[in-house]
mmCIF file with all atom_site columns, all heavy atoms in Angstrom:
data_model
loop_
_atom_site.group_PDB
_atom_site.id
_atom_site.type_symbol
_atom_site.label_atom_id
_atom_site.label_alt_id
_atom_site.label_comp_id
_atom_site.label_asym_id
_atom_site.label_entity_id
_atom_site.label_seq_id
_atom_site.pdbx_PDB_ins_code
_atom_site.Cartn_x
_atom_site.Cartn_y
_atom_site.Cartn_z
_atom_site.occupancy
_atom_site.B_iso_or_equiv
_atom_site.pdbx_formal_charge
_atom_site.auth_seq_id
_atom_site.auth_comp_id
_atom_site.auth_asym_id
_atom_site.auth_atom_id
_atom_site.pdbx_PDB_model_num
ATOM 1   N N   . PRO A 1 1  ? -3.811  -110.679 119.993 1.00 95.00 ? 1  PRO A N   1
ATOM 2   C CA  . PRO A 1 1  ? -2.688  -110.981 120.896 1.00 95.00 ? 1  PRO A CA  1
ATOM 3   C C   . PRO A 1 1  ? -1.336  -110.490 120.417 1.00 95.00 ? 1  PRO A C   1
ATOM 4   O O   . PRO A 1 1  ? -0.371  -110.503 121.182 1.00 95.00 ? 1  PRO A O   1
ATOM 5   C CB  . PRO A 1 1  ? -2.721  -112.515 120.986 1.00 95.00 ? 1  PRO A CB  1
ATOM 6   C CG  . PRO A 1 1  ? -3.491  -112.974 119.794 1.00 95.00 ? 1  PRO A CG  1
ATOM 7   C CD  . PRO A 1 1  ? -4.478  -111.890 119.500 1.00 95.00 ? 1  PRO A CD  1
ATOM 8   N N   . ALA A 1 2  ? -1.249  -110.023 119.185 1.00 95.00 ? 2  ALA A N   1
ATOM 9   C CA  . ALA A 1 2  ? 0.023   -109.501 118.685 1.00 95.00 ? 2  ALA A CA  1
ATOM 10  C C   . ALA A 1 2  ? 0.302   -108.084 119.164 1.00 95.00 ? 2  ALA A C   1
ATOM 11  O O   . ALA A 1 2  ? 1.431   -107.596 119.018 1.00 95.00 ? 2  ALA A O   1
ATOM 12  C CB  . ALA A 1 2  ? 0.043   -109.548 117.158 1.00 95.00 ? 2  ALA A CB  1
ATOM 13  N N   . TYR A 1 3  ? -0.729  -107.417 119.747 1.00 96.00 ? 3  TYR A N   1
ATOM 14  C CA  . TYR A 1 3  ? -0.577  -106.010 120.099 1.00 96.00 ? 3  TYR A CA  1
ATOM 15  C C   . TYR A 1 3  ? -1.149  -105.717 121.479 1.00 96.00 ? 3  TYR A C   1
ATOM 16  O O   . TYR A 1 3  ? -1.904  -106.506 122.050 1.00 96.00 ? 3  TYR A O   1
ATOM 17  C CB  . TYR A 1 3  ? -1.273  -105.126 119.054 1.00 96.00 ? 3  TYR A CB  1
ATOM 18  C CG  . TYR A 1 3  ? -0.742  -105.326 117.666 1.00 96.00 ? 3  TYR A CG  1
ATOM 19  C CD1 . TYR A 1 3  ? -1.472  -106.030 116.704 1.00 96.00 ? 3  TYR A CD1 1
ATOM 20  C CD2 . TYR A 1 3  ? 0.515   -104.835 117.310 1.00 96.00 ? 3  TYR A CD2 1
ATOM 21  C CE1 . TYR A 1 3  ? -0.974  -106.231 115.429 1.00 96.00 ? 3  TYR A CE1 1
ATOM 22  C CE2 . TYR A 1 3  ? 1.022   -105.028 116.037 1.00 96.00 ? 3  TYR A CE2 1
ATOM 23  C CZ  . TYR A 1 3  ? 0.287   -105.730 115.098 1.00 96.00 ? 3  TYR A CZ  1
ATOM 24  O OH  . TYR A 1 3  ? 0.793   -105.932 113.847 1.00 96.00 ? 3  TYR A OH  1
ATOM 25  N N   . LYS A 1 4  ? -0.808  -104.549 121.983 1.00 97.00 ? 4  LYS A N   1
ATOM 26  C CA  . LYS A 1 4  ? -1.299  -104.084 123.268 1.00 97.00 ? 4  LYS A CA  1
ATOM 27  C C   . LYS A 1 4  ? -2.590  -103.283 123.105 1.00 97.00 ? 4  LYS A C   1
ATOM 28  O O   . LYS A 1 4  ? -2.730  -102.533 122.135 1.00 97.00 ? 4  LYS A O   1
ATOM 29  C CB  . LYS A 1 4  ? -0.257  -103.184 123.957 1.00 97.00 ? 4  LYS A CB  1
ATOM 30  C CG  . LYS A 1 4  ? 0.965   -103.930 124.476 1.00 97.00 ? 4  LYS A CG  1
ATOM 31  C CD  . LYS A 1 4  ? 2.017   -102.966 125.018 1.00 97.00 ? 4  LYS A CD  1
ATOM 32  C CE  . LYS A 1 4  ? 1.532   -102.175 126.218 1.00 97.00 ? 4  LYS A CE  1
ATOM 33  N NZ  . LYS A 1 4  ? 1.301   -103.025 127.395 1.00 97.00 ? 4  LYS A NZ  1
ATOM 34  N N   . HIS A 1 5  ? -3.479  -103.438 124.075 1.00 98.00 ? 5  HIS A N   1
ATOM 35  C CA  . HIS A 1 5  ? -4.706  -102.636 124.126 1.00 98.00 ? 5  HIS A CA  1
ATOM 36  C C   . HIS A 1 5  ? -4.921  -102.270 125.591 1.00 98.00 ? 5  HIS A C   1
ATOM 37  O O   . HIS A 1 5  ? -5.514  -103.040 126.349 1.00 98.00 ? 5  HIS A O   1
ATOM 38  C CB  . HIS A 1 5  ? -5.901  -103.425 123.582 1.00 98.00 ? 5  HIS A CB  1
ATOM 39  C CG  . HIS A 1 5  ? -5.612  -104.148 122.308 1.00 98.00 ? 5  HIS A CG  1
ATOM 40  N ND1 . HIS A 1 5  ? -5.089  -105.428 122.284 1.00 98.00 ? 5  HIS A ND1 1
ATOM 41  C CD2 . HIS A 1 5  ? -5.762  -103.773 121.016 1.00 98.00 ? 5  HIS A CD2 1
ATOM 42  C CE1 . HIS A 1 5  ? -4.928  -105.809 121.023 1.00 98.00 ? 5  HIS A CE1 1
ATOM 43  N NE2 . HIS A 1 5  ? -5.329  -104.823 120.236 1.00 98.00 ? 5  HIS A NE2 1
ATOM 44  N N   . ASP A 1 6  ? -4.403  -101.131 125.991 1.00 97.00 ? 6  ASP A N   1
ATOM 45  C CA  . ASP A 1 6  ? -4.423  -100.725 127.398 1.00 97.00 ? 6  ASP A CA  1
ATOM 46  C C   . ASP A 1 6  ? -5.685  -99.923  127.700 1.00 97.00 ? 6  ASP A C   1
ATOM 47  O O   . ASP A 1 6  ? -5.949  -98.896  127.056 1.00 97.00 ? 6  ASP A O   1
ATOM 48  C CB  . ASP A 1 6  ? -3.193  -99.883  127.729 1.00 97.00 ? 6  ASP A CB  1
ATOM 49  C CG  . ASP A 1 6  ? -1.894  -100.671 127.602 1.00 97.00 ? 6  ASP A CG  1
ATOM 50  O OD1 . ASP A 1 6  ? -1.957  -101.917 127.725 1.00 97.00 ? 6  ASP A OD1 1
ATOM 51  O OD2 . ASP A 1 6  ? -0.836  -100.048 127.374 1.00 97.00 ? 6  ASP A OD2 1
ATOM 52  N N   . LEU A 1 7  ? -6.446  -100.381 128.680 1.00 98.00 ? 7  LEU A N   1
ATOM 53  C CA  . LEU A 1 7  ? -7.688  -99.717  129.057 1.00 98.00 ? 7  LEU A CA  1
ATOM 54  C C   . LEU A 1 7  ? -7.395  -98.338  129.642 1.00 98.00 ? 7  LEU A C   1
ATOM 55  O O   . LEU A 1 7  ? -6.599  -98.195  130.561 1.00 98.00 ? 7  LEU A O   1
ATOM 56  C CB  . LEU A 1 7  ? -8.428  -100.577 130.082 1.00 98.00 ? 7  LEU A CB  1
ATOM 57  C CG  . LEU A 1 7  ? -9.796  -100.092 130.554 1.00 98.00 ? 7  LEU A CG  1
ATOM 58  C CD1 . LEU A 1 7  ? -10.772 -99.984  129.390 1.00 98.00 ? 7  LEU A CD1 1
ATOM 59  C CD2 . LEU A 1 7  ? -10.333 -101.033 131.630 1.00 98.00 ? 7  LEU A CD2 1
ATOM 60  N N   . ALA A 1 8  ? -8.054  -97.310  129.102 1.00 97.00 ? 8  ALA A N   1
ATOM 61  C CA  . ALA A 1 8  ? -7.806  -95.940  129.541 1.00 97.00 ? 8  ALA A CA  1
ATOM 62  C C   . ALA A 1 8  ? -9.011  -95.306  130.225 1.00 97.00 ? 8  ALA A C   1
ATOM 63  O O   . ALA A 1 8  ? -8.867  -94.611  131.227 1.00 97.00 ? 8  ALA A O   1
ATOM 64  C CB  . ALA A 1 8  ? -7.376  -95.069  128.356 1.00 97.00 ? 8  ALA A CB  1
ATOM 65  N N   . ASP A 1 9  ? -10.228 -95.519  129.700 1.00 96.00 ? 9  ASP A N   1
ATOM 66  C CA  . ASP A 1 9  ? -11.405 -94.839  130.236 1.00 96.00 ? 9  ASP A CA  1
ATOM 67  C C   . ASP A 1 9  ? -12.649 -95.634  129.825 1.00 96.00 ? 9  ASP A C   1
ATOM 68  O O   . ASP A 1 9  ? -12.667 -96.273  128.761 1.00 96.00 ? 9  ASP A O   1
ATOM 69  C CB  . ASP A 1 9  ? -11.470 -93.404  129.685 1.00 96.00 ? 9  ASP A CB  1
ATOM 70  C CG  . ASP A 1 9  ? -12.373 -92.490  130.510 1.00 96.00 ? 9  ASP A CG  1
ATOM 71  O OD1 . ASP A 1 9  ? -12.853 -92.931  131.564 1.00 96.00 ? 9  ASP A OD1 1
ATOM 72  O OD2 . ASP A 1 9  ? -12.596 -91.341  130.087 1.00 96.00 ? 9  ASP A OD2 1
ATOM 73  N N   . VAL A 1 10 ? -13.679 -95.596  130.667 1.00 96.00 ? 10 VAL A N   1
ATOM 74  C CA  . VAL A 1 10 ? -14.917 -96.325  130.397 1.00 96.00 ? 10 VAL A CA  1
ATOM 75  C C   . VAL A 1 10 ? -16.097 -95.416  130.702 1.00 96.00 ? 10 VAL A C   1
ATOM 76  O O   . VAL A 1 10 ? -16.137 -94.750  131.747 1.00 96.00 ? 10 VAL A O   1
ATOM 77  C CB  . VAL A 1 10 ? -15.020 -97.606  131.264 1.00 96.00 ? 10 VAL A CB  1
ATOM 78  C CG1 . VAL A 1 10 ? -16.311 -98.364  130.928 1.00 96.00 ? 10 VAL A CG1 1
ATOM 79  C CG2 . VAL A 1 10 ? -13.815 -98.509  131.045 1.00 96.00 ? 10 VAL A CG2 1
ATOM 80  N N   . SER A 1 11 ? -17.077 -95.409  129.793 1.00 95.00 ? 11 SER A N   1
ATOM 81  C CA  . SER A 1 11 ? -18.354 -94.739  130.045 1.00 95.00 ? 11 SER A CA  1
ATOM 82  C C   . SER A 1 11 ? -19.466 -95.745  129.804 1.00 95.00 ? 11 SER A C   1
ATOM 83  O O   . SER A 1 11 ? -19.221 -96.898  129.444 1.00 95.00 ? 11 SER A O   1
ATOM 84  C CB  . SER A 1 11 ? -18.526 -93.530  129.124 1.00 95.00 ? 11 SER A CB  1
ATOM 85  O OG  . SER A 1 11 ? -18.774 -93.963  127.794 1.00 95.00 ? 11 SER A OG  1
ATOM 86  N N   . ALA A 1 12 ? -20.721 -95.320  129.968 1.00 95.00 ? 12 ALA A N   1
ATOM 87  C CA  . ALA A 1 12 ? -21.840 -96.222  129.738 1.00 95.00 ? 12 ALA A CA  1
ATOM 88  C C   . ALA A 1 12 ? -21.929 -96.663  128.285 1.00 95.00 ? 12 ALA A C   1
ATOM 89  O O   . ALA A 1 12 ? -22.478 -97.738  127.984 1.00 95.00 ? 12 ALA A O   1
ATOM 90  C CB  . ALA A 1 12 ? -23.145 -95.533  130.147 1.00 95.00 ? 12 ALA A CB  1
ATOM 91  N N   . ASP A 1 13 ? -21.376 -95.864  127.386 1.00 95.00 ? 13 ASP A N   1
ATOM 92  C CA  . ASP A 1 13 ? -21.526 -96.133  125.960 1.00 95.00 ? 13 ASP A CA  1
ATOM 93  C C   . ASP A 1 13 ? -20.264 -96.614  125.269 1.00 95.00 ? 13 ASP A C   1
ATOM 94  O O   . ASP A 1 13 ? -20.347 -97.220  124.192 1.00 95.00 ? 13 ASP A O   1
ATOM 95  C CB  . ASP A 1 13 ? -22.015 -94.866  125.237 1.00 95.00 ? 13 ASP A CB  1
ATOM 96  C CG  . ASP A 1 13 ? -23.288 -94.319  125.831 1.00 95.00 ? 13 ASP A CG  1
ATOM 97  O OD1 . ASP A 1 13 ? -24.209 -95.131  126.089 1.00 95.00 ? 13 ASP A OD1 1
ATOM 98  O OD2 . ASP A 1 13 ? -23.367 -93.094  126.060 1.00 95.00 ? 13 ASP A OD2 1
ATOM 99  N N   . SER A 1 14 ? -19.099 -96.334  125.853 1.00 96.00 ? 14 SER A N   1
ATOM 100 C CA  . SER A 1 14 ? -17.871 -96.592  125.093 1.00 96.00 ? 14 SER A CA  1
ATOM 101 C C   . SER A 1 14 ? -16.692 -96.891  126.010 1.00 96.00 ? 14 SER A C   1
ATOM 102 O O   . SER A 1 14 ? -16.719 -96.625  127.210 1.00 96.00 ? 14 SER A O   1
ATOM 103 C CB  . SER A 1 14 ? -17.546 -95.387  124.200 1.00 96.00 ? 14 SER A CB  1
ATOM 104 O OG  . SER A 1 14 ? -17.295 -94.234  124.995 1.00 96.00 ? 14 SER A OG  1
ATOM 105 N N   . VAL A 1 15 ? -15.662 -97.425  125.379 1.00 97.00 ? 15 VAL A N   1
ATOM 106 C CA  . VAL A 1 15 ? -14.398 -97.715  126.049 1.00 97.00 ? 15 VAL A CA  1
ATOM 107 C C   . VAL A 1 15 ? -13.290 -96.998  125.286 1.00 97.00 ? 15 VAL A C   1
ATOM 108 O O   . VAL A 1 15 ? -13.233 -97.081  124.046 1.00 97.00 ? 15 VAL A O   1
ATOM 109 C CB  . VAL A 1 15 ? -14.128 -99.230  126.082 1.00 97.00 ? 15 VAL A CB  1
ATOM 110 C CG1 . VAL A 1 15 ? -12.707 -99.520  126.551 1.00 97.00 ? 15 VAL A CG1 1
ATOM 111 C CG2 . VAL A 1 15 ? -15.132 -99.930  126.990 1.00 97.00 ? 15 VAL A CG2 1
ATOM 112 N N   . VAL A 1 16 ? -12.433 -96.291  126.003 1.00 97.00 ? 16 VAL A N   1
ATOM 113 C CA  . VAL A 1 16 ? -11.259 -95.658  125.402 1.00 97.00 ? 16 VAL A CA  1
ATOM 114 C C   . VAL A 1 16 ? -10.048 -96.532  125.723 1.00 97.00 ? 16 VAL A C   1
ATOM 115 O O   . VAL A 1 16 ? -9.835  -96.914  126.879 1.00 97.00 ? 16 VAL A O   1
ATOM 116 C CB  . VAL A 1 16 ? -11.046 -94.230  125.949 1.00 97.00 ? 16 VAL A CB  1
ATOM 117 C CG1 . VAL A 1 16 ? -9.815  -93.590  125.308 1.00 97.00 ? 16 VAL A CG1 1
ATOM 118 C CG2 . VAL A 1 16 ? -12.283 -93.371  125.718 1.00 97.00 ? 16 VAL A CG2 1
ATOM 119 N N   . PHE A 1 17 ? -9.265  -96.858  124.702 1.00 97.00 ? 17 PHE A N   1
ATOM 120 C CA  . PHE A 1 17 ? -8.073  -97.671  124.942 1.00 97.00 ? 17 PHE A CA  1
ATOM 121 C C   . PHE A 1 17 ? -6.901  -97.160  124.114 1.00 97.00 ? 17 PHE A C   1
ATOM 122 O O   . PHE A 1 17 ? -7.066  -96.424  123.131 1.00 97.00 ? 17 PHE A O   1
ATOM 123 C CB  . PHE A 1 17 ? -8.342  -99.154  124.665 1.00 97.00 ? 17 PHE A CB  1
ATOM 124 C CG  . PHE A 1 17 ? -8.687  -99.505  123.241 1.00 97.00 ? 17 PHE A CG  1
ATOM 125 C CD1 . PHE A 1 17 ? -7.711  -99.954  122.355 1.00 97.00 ? 17 PHE A CD1 1
ATOM 126 C CD2 . PHE A 1 17 ? -9.997  -99.403  122.774 1.00 97.00 ? 17 PHE A CD2 1
ATOM 127 C CE1 . PHE A 1 17 ? -8.023  -100.289 121.048 1.00 97.00 ? 17 PHE A CE1 1
ATOM 128 C CE2 . PHE A 1 17 ? -10.329 -99.739  121.469 1.00 97.00 ? 17 PHE A CE2 1
ATOM 129 C CZ  . PHE A 1 17 ? -9.334  -100.178 120.592 1.00 97.00 ? 17 PHE A CZ  1
ATOM 130 N N   . LEU A 1 18 ? -5.707  -97.548  124.544 1.00 97.00 ? 18 LEU A N   1
ATOM 131 C CA  . LEU A 1 18 ? -4.460  -97.171  123.887 1.00 97.00 ? 18 LEU A CA  1
ATOM 132 C C   . LEU A 1 18 ? -3.893  -98.422  123.221 1.00 97.00 ? 18 LEU A C   1
ATOM 133 O O   . LEU A 1 18 ? -3.766  -99.464  123.866 1.00 97.00 ? 18 LEU A O   1
ATOM 134 C CB  . LEU A 1 18 ? -3.448  -96.625  124.897 1.00 97.00 ? 18 LEU A CB  1
ATOM 135 C CG  . LEU A 1 18 ? -3.982  -95.638  125.948 1.00 97.00 ? 18 LEU A CG  1
ATOM 136 C CD1 . LEU A 1 18 ? -2.886  -95.270  126.940 1.00 97.00 ? 18 LEU A CD1 1
ATOM 137 C CD2 . LEU A 1 18 ? -4.538  -94.390  125.274 1.00 97.00 ? 18 LEU A CD2 1
ATOM 138 N N   . THR A 1 19 ? -3.535  -98.317  121.954 1.00 97.00 ? 19 THR A N   1
ATOM 139 C CA  . THR A 1 19 ? -3.074  -99.506  121.245 1.00 97.00 ? 19 THR A CA  1
ATOM 140 C C   . THR A 1 19 ? -1.940  -99.187  120.281 1.00 97.00 ? 19 THR A C   1
ATOM 141 O O   . THR A 1 19 ? -1.906  -98.111  119.676 1.00 97.00 ? 19 THR A O   1
ATOM 142 C CB  . THR A 1 19 ? -4.225  -100.170 120.470 1.00 97.00 ? 19 THR A CB  1
ATOM 143 O OG1 . THR A 1 19 ? -3.735  -101.327 119.784 1.00 97.00 ? 19 THR A OG1 1
ATOM 144 C CG2 . THR A 1 19 ? -4.866  -99.215  119.475 1.00 97.00 ? 19 THR A CG2 1
ATOM 145 N N   . ASN A 1 20 ? -1.044  -100.165 120.130 1.00 96.00 ? 20 ASN A N   1
ATOM 146 C CA  . ASN A 1 20 ? 0.056   -100.032 119.163 1.00 96.00 ? 20 ASN A CA  1
ATOM 147 C C   . ASN A 1 20 ? -0.164  -100.916 117.940 1.00 96.00 ? 20 ASN A C   1
ATOM 148 O O   . ASN A 1 20 ? 0.782   -101.270 117.237 1.00 96.00 ? 20 ASN A O   1
ATOM 149 C CB  . ASN A 1 20 ? 1.390   -100.380 119.833 1.00 96.00 ? 20 ASN A CB  1
ATOM 150 C CG  . ASN A 1 20 ? 1.461   -101.839 120.279 1.00 96.00 ? 20 ASN A CG  1
ATOM 151 O OD1 . ASN A 1 20 ? 0.445   -102.527 120.412 1.00 96.00 ? 20 ASN A OD1 1
ATOM 152 N ND2 . ASN A 1 20 ? 2.671   -102.326 120.536 1.00 96.00 ? 20 ASN A ND2 1
ATOM 153 N N   . ARG A 1 21 ? -1.433  -101.256 117.649 1.00 96.00 ? 21 ARG A N   1
ATOM 154 C CA  . ARG A 1 21 ? -1.714  -102.201 116.575 1.00 96.00 ? 21 ARG A CA  1
ATOM 155 C C   . ARG A 1 21 ? -1.458  -101.626 115.183 1.00 96.00 ? 21 ARG A C   1
ATOM 156 O O   . ARG A 1 21 ? -1.394  -102.394 114.206 1.00 96.00 ? 21 ARG A O   1
ATOM 157 C CB  . ARG A 1 21 ? -3.161  -102.687 116.680 1.00 96.00 ? 21 ARG A CB  1
ATOM 158 C CG  . ARG A 1 21 ? -4.209  -101.621 116.432 1.00 96.00 ? 21 ARG A CG  1
ATOM 159 C CD  . ARG A 1 21 ? -5.612  -102.111 116.752 1.00 96.00 ? 21 ARG A CD  1
ATOM 160 N NE  . ARG A 1 21 ? -6.623  -101.090 116.485 1.00 96.00 ? 21 ARG A NE  1
ATOM 161 C CZ  . ARG A 1 21 ? -7.892  -101.202 116.848 1.00 96.00 ? 21 ARG A CZ  1
ATOM 162 N NH1 . ARG A 1 21 ? -8.296  -102.281 117.509 1.00 96.00 ? 21 ARG A NH1 1
ATOM 163 N NH2 . ARG A 1 21 ? -8.750  -100.242 116.572 1.00 96.00 ? 21 ARG A NH2 1
ATOM 164 N N   . ARG A 1 22 ? -1.298  -100.313 115.079 1.00 95.00 ? 22 ARG A N   1
ATOM 165 C CA  . ARG A 1 22 ? -1.065  -99.731  113.742 1.00 95.00 ? 22 ARG A CA  1
ATOM 166 C C   . ARG A 1 22 ? 0.286   -100.145 113.188 1.00 95.00 ? 22 ARG A C   1
ATOM 167 O O   . ARG A 1 22 ? 0.403   -100.499 112.005 1.00 95.00 ? 22 ARG A O   1
ATOM 168 C CB  . ARG A 1 22 ? -1.183  -98.197  113.821 1.00 95.00 ? 22 ARG A CB  1
ATOM 169 C CG  . ARG A 1 22 ? -0.869  -97.480  112.525 1.00 95.00 ? 22 ARG A CG  1
ATOM 170 C CD  . ARG A 1 22 ? -1.345  -96.037  112.565 1.00 95.00 ? 22 ARG A CD  1
ATOM 171 N NE  . ARG A 1 22 ? -0.969  -95.345  113.780 1.00 95.00 ? 22 ARG A NE  1
ATOM 172 C CZ  . ARG A 1 22 ? 0.198   -94.702  113.957 1.00 95.00 ? 22 ARG A CZ  1
ATOM 173 N NH1 . ARG A 1 22 ? 1.078   -94.675  112.980 1.00 95.00 ? 22 ARG A NH1 1
ATOM 174 N NH2 . ARG A 1 22 ? 0.458   -94.093  115.094 1.00 95.00 ? 22 ARG A NH2 1
ATOM 175 N N   . ASP A 1 23 ? 1.346   -100.102 114.020 1.00 94.00 ? 23 ASP A N   1
ATOM 176 C CA  . ASP A 1 23 ? 2.676   -100.464 113.529 1.00 94.00 ? 23 ASP A CA  1
ATOM 177 C C   . ASP A 1 23 ? 3.506   -101.228 114.557 1.00 94.00 ? 23 ASP A C   1
ATOM 178 O O   . ASP A 1 23 ? 4.683   -101.514 114.307 1.00 94.00 ? 23 ASP A O   1
ATOM 179 C CB  . ASP A 1 23 ? 3.438   -99.222  113.060 1.00 94.00 ? 23 ASP A CB  1
ATOM 180 C CG  . ASP A 1 23 ? 3.649   -98.195  114.179 1.00 94.00 ? 23 ASP A CG  1
ATOM 181 O OD1 . ASP A 1 23 ? 3.363   -98.510  115.350 1.00 94.00 ? 23 ASP A OD1 1
ATOM 182 O OD2 . ASP A 1 23 ? 4.108   -97.079  113.875 1.00 94.00 ? 23 ASP A OD2 1
ATOM 183 N N   . GLY A 1 24 ? 2.907   -101.556 115.711 1.00 94.00 ? 24 GLY A N   1
ATOM 184 C CA  . GLY A 1 24 ? 3.649   -102.283 116.740 1.00 94.00 ? 24 GLY A CA  1
ATOM 185 C C   . GLY A 1 24 ? 4.517   -101.407 117.605 1.00 94.00 ? 24 GLY A C   1
ATOM 186 O O   . GLY A 1 24 ? 5.119   -101.894 118.569 1.00 94.00 ? 24 GLY A O   1
ATOM 187 N N   . ILE A 1 25 ? 4.594   -100.131 117.296 1.00 93.00 ? 25 ILE A N   1
ATOM 188 C CA  . ILE A 1 25 ? 5.486   -99.218  118.027 1.00 93.00 ? 25 ILE A CA  1
ATOM 189 C C   . ILE A 1 25 ? 4.704   -98.043  118.608 1.00 93.00 ? 25 ILE A C   1
ATOM 190 O O   . ILE A 1 25 ? 4.640   -97.865  119.829 1.00 93.00 ? 25 ILE A O   1
ATOM 191 C CB  . ILE A 1 25 ? 6.612   -98.696  117.108 1.00 93.00 ? 25 ILE A CB  1
ATOM 192 C CG1 . ILE A 1 25 ? 7.429   -99.865  116.550 1.00 93.00 ? 25 ILE A CG1 1
ATOM 193 C CG2 . ILE A 1 25 ? 7.506   -97.724  117.870 1.00 93.00 ? 25 ILE A CG2 1
ATOM 194 C CD1 . ILE A 1 25 ? 8.452   -99.460  115.508 1.00 93.00 ? 25 ILE A CD1 1
ATOM 195 N N   . ASP A 1 26 ? 4.124   -97.226  117.727 1.00 94.00 ? 26 ASP A N   1
ATOM 196 C CA  . ASP A 1 26 ? 3.416   -96.021  118.170 1.00 94.00 ? 26 ASP A CA  1
ATOM 197 C C   . ASP A 1 26 ? 2.009   -96.362  118.671 1.00 94.00 ? 26 ASP A C   1
ATOM 198 O O   . ASP A 1 26 ? 1.337   -97.249  118.146 1.00 94.00 ? 26 ASP A O   1
ATOM 199 C CB  . ASP A 1 26 ? 3.318   -95.023  117.015 1.00 94.00 ? 26 ASP A CB  1
ATOM 200 C CG  . ASP A 1 26 ? 4.674   -94.470  116.636 1.00 94.00 ? 26 ASP A CG  1
ATOM 201 O OD1 . ASP A 1 26 ? 5.357   -93.923  117.523 1.00 94.00 ? 26 ASP A OD1 1
ATOM 202 O OD2 . ASP A 1 26 ? 5.057   -94.597  115.459 1.00 94.00 ? 26 ASP A OD2 1
ATOM 203 N N   . PHE A 1 27 ? 1.568   -95.595  119.671 1.00 95.00 ? 27 PHE A N   1
ATOM 204 C CA  . PHE A 1 27 ? 0.260   -95.841  120.268 1.00 95.00 ? 27 PHE A CA  1
ATOM 205 C C   . PHE A 1 27 ? -0.773  -94.837  119.751 1.00 95.00 ? 27 PHE A C   1
ATOM 206 O O   . PHE A 1 27 ? -0.476  -93.657  119.586 1.00 95.00 ? 27 PHE A O   1
ATOM 207 C CB  . PHE A 1 27 ? 0.348   -95.759  121.791 1.00 95.00 ? 27 PHE A CB  1
ATOM 208 C CG  . PHE A 1 27 ? 0.964   -96.977  122.415 1.00 95.00 ? 27 PHE A CG  1
ATOM 209 C CD1 . PHE A 1 27 ? 2.338   -97.160  122.409 1.00 95.00 ? 27 PHE A CD1 1
ATOM 210 C CD2 . PHE A 1 27 ? 0.167   -97.958  122.989 1.00 95.00 ? 27 PHE A CD2 1
ATOM 211 C CE1 . PHE A 1 27 ? 2.911   -98.286  122.959 1.00 95.00 ? 27 PHE A CE1 1
ATOM 212 C CE2 . PHE A 1 27 ? 0.725   -99.092  123.545 1.00 95.00 ? 27 PHE A CE2 1
ATOM 213 C CZ  . PHE A 1 27 ? 2.097   -99.264  123.539 1.00 95.00 ? 27 PHE A CZ  1
ATOM 214 N N   . ASP A 1 28 ? -1.978  -95.352  119.530 1.00 95.00 ? 28 ASP A N   1
ATOM 215 C CA  . ASP A 1 28 ? -3.117  -94.526  119.141 1.00 95.00 ? 28 ASP A CA  1
ATOM 216 C C   . ASP A 1 28 ? -4.137  -94.539  120.277 1.00 95.00 ? 28 ASP A C   1
ATOM 217 O O   . ASP A 1 28 ? -4.166  -95.453  121.102 1.00 95.00 ? 28 ASP A O   1
ATOM 218 C CB  . ASP A 1 28 ? -3.785  -95.079  117.878 1.00 95.00 ? 28 ASP A CB  1
ATOM 219 C CG  . ASP A 1 28 ? -2.848  -95.143  116.687 1.00 95.00 ? 28 ASP A CG  1
ATOM 220 O OD1 . ASP A 1 28 ? -1.843  -94.407  116.685 1.00 95.00 ? 28 ASP A OD1 1
ATOM 221 O OD2 . ASP A 1 28 ? -3.133  -95.934  115.769 1.00 95.00 ? 28 ASP A OD2 1
ATOM 222 N N   . VAL A 1 29 ? -5.004  -93.523  120.277 1.00 96.00 ? 29 VAL A N   1
ATOM 223 C CA  . VAL A 1 29 ? -6.144  -93.487  121.190 1.00 96.00 ? 29 VAL A CA  1
ATOM 224 C C   . VAL A 1 29 ? -7.386  -93.830  120.383 1.00 96.00 ? 29 VAL A C   1
ATOM 225 O O   . VAL A 1 29 ? -7.704  -93.147  119.409 1.00 96.00 ? 29 VAL A O   1
ATOM 226 C CB  . VAL A 1 29 ? -6.304  -92.105  121.849 1.00 96.00 ? 29 VAL A CB  1
ATOM 227 C CG1 . VAL A 1 29 ? -7.514  -92.106  122.787 1.00 96.00 ? 29 VAL A CG1 1
ATOM 228 C CG2 . VAL A 1 29 ? -5.041  -91.729  122.619 1.00 96.00 ? 29 VAL A CG2 1
ATOM 229 N N   . VAL A 1 30 ? -8.078  -94.896  120.809 1.00 96.00 ? 30 VAL A N   1
ATOM 230 C CA  . VAL A 1 30 ? -9.226  -95.397  120.063 1.00 96.00 ? 30 VAL A CA  1
ATOM 231 C C   . VAL A 1 30 ? -10.433 -95.483  120.990 1.00 96.00 ? 30 VAL A C   1
ATOM 232 O O   . VAL A 1 30 ? -10.309 -95.894  122.153 1.00 96.00 ? 30 VAL A O   1
ATOM 233 C CB  . VAL A 1 30 ? -8.925  -96.782  119.454 1.00 96.00 ? 30 VAL A CB  1
ATOM 234 C CG1 . VAL A 1 30 ? -10.132 -97.320  118.687 1.00 96.00 ? 30 VAL A CG1 1
ATOM 235 C CG2 . VAL A 1 30 ? -7.710  -96.714  118.531 1.00 96.00 ? 30 VAL A CG2 1
#
């Protein structure tokens, strides 16, 4: 709950999301 996890893409095997959990500022693609 301290960070954002924005849903970006979904397949049968995986979910792609965008998150700023690394530093609270910059977003990564996971």
